[in-house]
Amino acid sequence: MSVKYTLPKALYFILACFFLGIPPVGPTAGFSSEPVPQDLTKITTPAGISLFVEIADTVDKRAQGLMFRKSLAADRGMLFIFPEMGNYTFWMKNTLIPLDILWMDESGNILHVESHVPICTKKDDSCPRYYSHRESMYVLELPSGRAKELALTPGTRLSLGIHGRQTSPYP
């Protein structure tokens, strides 16, 4: 007696995509295929999606931010860390890629999201300013549209792997 094994059609599709090198769609689309440099910090969403961010924790790093960058992979970003809770304002002067900007409290709870913040091509200092009406300790910049794709809304708590300590309510 011989046994015939069959795979579900969806599995054939997934395997075919994998072997043909077809990129994924959805929350993982656009992720960098490059290895994650050790100087990046991992942030995890409640859905288990990992984002790898540069840390801006000094006055100079916060002032530079993502200015003059020409691209940013979907799984990359920048986390601004402030020494205390406060009202922190951001602008897009000299920033060449549109972003989503998320303000968070000391526990990683998202307080406010500015989505699809456009670049500013003005040469003077009249670029629009973006801010939260609530005090924050962290601000996360991601490629434009990622907050919506990952369902990152006010009230969502992110796991921030900062300086060896986690702010996560989940493993």
Side-chain angles (χ1 to χ4, degrees), residues 98-117:
L99 299 171
D100 288 344
I101 306 173
L102 299 83
W103 285 259
M104 296 174 286
D105 66 14
E106 66 277 358
S107 298
N109 293 307
I110 297 173
L111 304 170
H112 179 73
V113 177
E114 287 286 342
S115 299
H116 303 286
V117 176

Side-chain angles (χ1 to χ4, degrees), residues 1 6 26 43 62 88 93 100-101 120 123 161 165 167-168:
M1 177 172 152
T6 60
I43 292 178
R62 289 191 295 263
Y88 301 106
K93 185 174 181 182
D100 288 344
I101 306 173
C120 180
K123 300 298 181 199
R165 64 183 168 93
T167 60
S168 174

Side-chain angles (χ1 to χ4, degrees), residues 26-69:
T28 59
F31 274 39
S32 174
S33 60
E34 299 175 14
V36 177
Q38 289 188 0
D39 60 340
L40 296 182
T41 297
K42 181 177 166 182
I43 292 178
T44 309
T45 70
I49 304 293
S50 295
L51 302 168
F52 300 94
V53 299
E54 297 172 53
I55 297 294
D57 57 358
T58 66
V59 172
D60 289 341
K61 288 179 184 178
R62 289 191 295 263
Q64 178 67 33
L66 291 171
M67 290 193 311
F68 305 109
R69 304 280 180 93

Side-chain angles (χ1 to χ4, degrees), residues 56 61-66 78-82 86-93 95 99-104 114 117 127-132 136-141:
K61 288 179 184 178
R62 289 191 295 263
Q64 178 67 33
L66 291 171
M78 181 168 281
L79 181 66
F80 296 78
I81 301 175
F82 295 94
N87 293 307
Y88 301 106
T89 301
F90 283 68
W91 67 346
M92 298 292 285
K93 185 174 181 182
T95 304
L99 299 171
D100 288 344
I101 306 173
L102 299 83
W103 285 259
M104 296 174 286
E114 287 286 342
V117 176
C127 292
R129 267 86 168 152
Y130 302 91
Y131 58 92
S132 171
S136 59
M137 181 163 284
Y138 306 112
V139 176
L140 176 62
E141 291 183 340

